Amino acid sequence: MGDHLDRRGFLKFGAGVVVGALATASTDQIIDATSGLERSLRDRDFSVEGSQSLQARARDKNLIFGASTTARPIREDAVYAQRFAQECAMLVPANELKWQALRPTPTTYNYERGDRLIHFAQKHNMMLRGHTLVWHQGLPPWFKDTVHANNAERFMADHIQTVVSRYAGQMHSWDVVNEAIAPGQGQARGLRNTPWLRLMGESYIEKAFRLAHEADPKALLFYNDFNLDFANPKDEKKRVAVLQLIERLLDKGVPIHGLGTQAHLNAAKLQQIHAGKLRQYFGRIARLGLKVMVTELDVIDQQLPRDIDLRDRYVAATYEDYLTILLQEAAVIGVITWGLSDRYTWLSGEKPRRDGLPVRPLPYDQNHRPKLAWNAIARAIAQAPPRQVSQS
Ligand code: XIL
């Protein structure tokens, strides 16, 4: 019975994924295509040579490999902390530098949790990314009753000046503005309808970059967003709107140095990974003079079959196919996964499975053992052309 249900659940996405535009495909054709894909995944080679860590493999190509983490498991789980230090050349505090964490009240800052992580990173010679200065989520409860059109700019400026100068010289890069584009919300130029847009208008974006640059002229400043990944009309629209935003900023002389592509990839869309489209897009970003980082990579297995071996193969194939393409582009300087171990992934809450099984989106499993996803990342790095310049 369980198997029967799984099979049906799986076929449901199979219909969307495997035959895509073939609206006339019969159920039999869909089943054939799905099992064809499964067969090729079962046969696929994910072997890796050598025993180097991901950061060492990346460093050999002058690339950065790292991950985000929250403070707690680093503090409480020694095995995890050890794996993290071994694998990662860069650490991104997942929540600890968001407003919610840093701003207990409108007039005070609390760096305790962030500093613990930063200390851990520095002890292990890791680089740091700051995430994130201006976002519509992760705002403290006092925000909506305290920040108005007449003081929003002051609040933003104070926040950026205070936080960015506190960590000046320590951050490789900052996600200055996060997720400002959401075409389809009825706003001009595909802008997301956020508190910042409502309070300050579109100029909030350039102001944030200028303030961050003043506070830490050496940090690379990134615009960061999601859904830039697949060959479908929704992602295409978003890619265009993000590109146009970047062009507007550059035209105004705004100090923006990079595009972060989050890449929370749904494995059910494995076959919508399109080399030509991705190369063309990130090539254009590169020609604008921007660097690119994959900033929040993980692979959603919510709709995959329950069989763990097959599921891990889907996830690994998604990692490898996507990263191999992205890393062909020389402007891509690094890859950050959103978490390292399935035990602490945000996707357990965000994209749980209907069958209640634990999700498996990251390179390490619940018990901090490497999975095929780890091999997939190593394989993609191995195929990457070496960069000329070290990123660290
Ligand atoms: C997520 C964290 O992982 C969660 O722990 C938190 O509850 C919500 O935010 N895009 C982003 C990240 O830019 O900040 C988000 O992180 C995931 C989506």
Side-chain angles (χ1 to χ4, degrees), residues 70 94-95 98 131-132 135 137 178-179 224 226 262 264 296 338 346:
T70 53
N95 292 321
K98 292 172 180 170
H131 176 83
T132 174
W135 190 30
Q137 288 182 33
N178 197 29
E179 304 180 352
N224 195 49
F226 63 99
Q262 293 184 8
H264 298 290
E296 304 188 14
W338 203 245
W346 75 304

